[in-house]
Amino acid sequence: MSNFKFHGVDVTGLAHEYGTPLYVVSEDEIVRRIRAIKGCFDERNERCSTFFASKSFLTKDMLRILMREGLGLDVVSGGELFLAQEMRFPPEKIAFHGNSKTEREIAAGLDCGVGKFVCDSMDEIELIDRMAGERGANARVLIRVTPGVEAHTHKYMSTGETGSKFGLPPEMIKEVVSSRGTSAYLSNISLMGFHFHVGSQLMDNSTNLEALGVILGLIKELRDDYGFETRILDMGGGFGVRYTKKDNPQNIADFIGGMVDKVESFCRSYGLSCPSLVIEPGRWIVSDAGITLYSVGSVKRLPGGAVYVGVDGGYPDNPRPALYGAEYEAVLVNKVDLPPSETVSIAGKCCESGDILIRDIELPEAQRGDLIAVLGTGAYNHSMANNYNKNPIPAVVMVKDGTPRLSVRRQTYEEMFSGNI
Ligand SMILES: *Cc1c(COP(=O)(O)O)cnc(C)c1O
């Protein structure tokens, strides 16, 4: 009987060597996907550039890959910026997002010279203006626009609807643009353009095209009424992936190509100079590149037929099922050749009823000591990992050309409590 292999590697050996739970990530797959995105965007013309949303997966190795492949980087916190600086990521290729940056975070961004801030409120724009002034600096800013469209995804992953906590509505943006240049107001800021991101895990670009309709209209109005030229338009990320058979994402070249076509034809029609374009994928680049290995602990078969296969991880290494009902596929690594024989739920080990990694999946009969691989965990698993129930954060093993290497060490109990006084 053969074992399940991940990008040429027998993961049973990895579980023995590094323990479980264990994140296994394919560097080859990440690079392949980065190049696929660049092929249909960056290489289309020199105005297009891709920024990786670091919140989806951020490690030193990931930053090394991004620097080698020449991508930009989105950060949303001082912590993400810190690691990027540690690794000497070129600051001019960093965009600092976030709807509630602290003064300390803004100071860090200004002091290292991030390429741009993406701002979400007037309050923050004024604060950045003042802090840039204190430093004799000029900050490049994009304003996030709330286009007032609803993405067809989980409500926790829809971000562009009217009244969202993200962004400013078009009428407020007109006010900002009209008040510029009238006095010293916002004189330490260069308003480069606009950003929108309508949601995550989007199956097609229909919501993005709808949002583009609103934003391109705004861009034209700003040019016509105030002579304002939009130099950068950041169209966000959110490109969906296939977690289970239910997901059927649009081909990435069509998804992205459709957006670029719309911008270019609009600009041509109205005599606007076409802004530089940015996209910010996270999930699409790393999701399929990762799996998580778990050891099976207790298997509980209840009267009435419910079967719970308990594993040695769950909510702490993957809160997504509890957070928004995220679904995954899994395989029994050491029984991958056997046909499924029962419907089970894979239960995490935390003291929360919601800590079920997968509900109702068909698997061969599982027993203590078997190994389970949950698939498609490369995005938002390691980055959302937490210490609930005081479980240490699992290690990350990277696989390249069929050779595994330790990329992030497993957290120790001592490290988990090291801040305690
Ligand atoms: C989360 C986020 C992204 C990336 O989303 P994915 O679904 O991982 O592609 C991009 N831009 C912004 C502003 C985000 O908040």
Side-chain angles (χ1 to χ4, degrees):
M1 196 158 51
S2 60
N3 290 324
F4 168 75
K5 285 206 166 85
F6 183 64
H7 291 273
V9 174
D10 180 352
V11 297
T12 316
L14 297 183
H16 286 143
E17 186 167 355
Y18 300 104
T20 54
L22 183 69
Y23 298 114
V24 185
V25 177
S26 165
E27 178 163 345
D28 304 313
E29 181 66 13
I30 290 174
V31 169
R32 193 184 70 73
R33 285 178 162 257
I34 287 174
R35 290 180 186 171
I37 290 248
K38 288 179 75 172
C40 58
F41 190 66
D42 304 53
E43 284 154 25
R44 181 167 166 149
N45 69 52
E46 70 292 342
R47 285 194 317 275
C48 295
S49 52
T50 300
F51 280 54
F52 175 69
S54 73
K55 66 178 180 189
S56 64
F57 181 65
L58 182 65
T59 65
K60 288 185 176 179
D61 270 336
M62 188 67 203
L63 289 171
R64 289 184 186 108
I65 295 170
L66 295 169
M67 285 191 279
R68 266 201 313 269
E69 297 297 317
L71 258 62
L73 190 74
D74 276 6
V75 300
V76 294
S77 73
E80 290 176 353
L81 181 61
F82 172 83
L83 194 68
Q85 283 185 271
E86 281 266 300
M87 297 302 290
R88 308 204 179 289
F89 198 95
E92 68 278 6
K93 292 179 85 166
I94 297 177
F96 202 153
H97 286 256
N99 69 297
S100 187
K101 303 175 192 75
T102 65
E103 286 201 36
R104 189 175 158 198
E105 288 172 329
I106 293 169
L110 287 169
D111 291 340
C112 81
V114 293
K116 50 192 186 284
F117 288 91
V118 182
C119 294
D120 215 302
S121 65
M122 279 320 297
D123 175 88
E124 185 179 288
I125 294 169
E126 288 171 2
L127 178 60
I128 293 175
D129 176 61
R130 175 169 67 71
M131 292 177 68
E134 287 163 7
R135 288 164 171 75
N138 190 276
R140 287 157 47 109
V141 164
L142 300 185
I143 304 180
R144 180 165 181 168
V145 184
T146 317
V149 297
E150 224 150 298
H152 312 290
T153 185
H154 191 284
K155 77 172 186 315
Y156 286 2
M157 291 195 260
S158 175
T159 53
E161 72 280 4
T162 303
S164 165
K165 83 161 185 174
F166 296 107
L168 291 175
E171 61 269 25
M172 287 182 76
I173 285 165
K174 279 180 236 170
E175 271 175 48
V176 183
V177 170
S178 67
S179 61
R180 280 169 65 260
T182 51
S183 61
Y185 185 58
L186 302 184
S187 58
N188 306 305
I189 276 181
S190 300
L191 180 57
M192 303 301 292
F194 306 102
H195 165 270
F196 70 93
H197 170 78
V198 295
S200 206
Q201 182 57 1
L202 307 167
M203 286 298 118
D204 61 55
N205 65 7
S206 56
T207 315
N208 298 64
L209 295 181
E210 216 185 309
L212 267 177
V214 173
I215 283 154
L216 290 168
L218 174 68
I219 287 174
K220 175 177 178 302
E221 228 181 304
L222 295 176
R223 197 262 326 245
D224 293 348
D225 296 354
Y226 310 109
F228 178 81
E229 194 191 331
T230 299
R231 279 173 285 173
I232 301 176
L233 175 59
D234 183 333
M235 306 186 289
F239 318 137
V241 300
R242 192 182 179 95
Y243 284 104
T244 71
K245 292 178 193 72
K246 284 185 246 170
D247 300 322
N248 192 14
Q250 183 179 20
N251 170 288
I252 193 71
D254 296 338
F255 196 124
I256 295 170
M259 292 197 291
V260 181
D261 289 344
K262 178 151 183 161
V263 175
E264 288 181 346
S265 77
F266 186 93
C267 291
R268 254 195 321 275
S269 306
Y270 293 100
L272 295 160
S273 52
C274 194
S276 295
L277 297 177
V278 174
I279 53 171
E280 322 166 306
R283 189 189 315 274
W284 197 88
I285 288 175
V286 289
S287 177
D288 277 349
I291 62 172
T292 309
L293 300 177
Y294 301 95
S295 298
V296 173
S298 62
V299 179
K300 187 156 61 179
R301 297 192 166 78
L302 297 175
V307 182
Y308 286 102
V309 175
V311 294
D312 55 356
Y315 182 87
D317 59 80
N318 184 5
R320 298 187 67 255
L323 198 55
Y324 32 63
E327 296 184 75
Y328 290 91
E329 301 280 5
V331 295
L332 257 182
V333 169
N334 51 314
K335 295 178 179 169
V336 73
D337 293 334
L338 298 182
S341 61
E342 57 183 354
T343 302
V344 308
S345 290
I346 301 178
K349 73 195 290 279
C350 280
C351 307
E352 290 288 328
S353 300
D355 186 16
I356 302 288
L357 282 172
I358 302 180
R359 286 179 202 279
D360 300 332
I361 178 173
E362 298 202 344
L363 288 180
E365 197 164 300
Q367 65 195 72
R368 182 175 286 275
D370 284 346
L371 201 58
I372 286 181
V374 175
L375 311 179
T377 61
Y380 302 103
N381 276 230
H382 179 259
S383 61
M384 284 188 174
N386 62 80
N387 286 131
Y388 183 51
N389 283 175
K390 297 295 174 265
N391 288 289
I393 293 176
V396 180
V397 166
M398 279 278 204
V399 174
K400 184 171 187 243
D401 298 328
T403 306
R405 66 171 194 279
L406 186 61
S407 181
V408 181
R409 255 191 318 106
R410 183 178 304 278
Q411 192 182 32
T412 64
Y413 288 148
E414 289 76 13
E415 283 164 344
M416 191 162 50
F417 296 112
S418 63
N420 281 232
I421 293 163

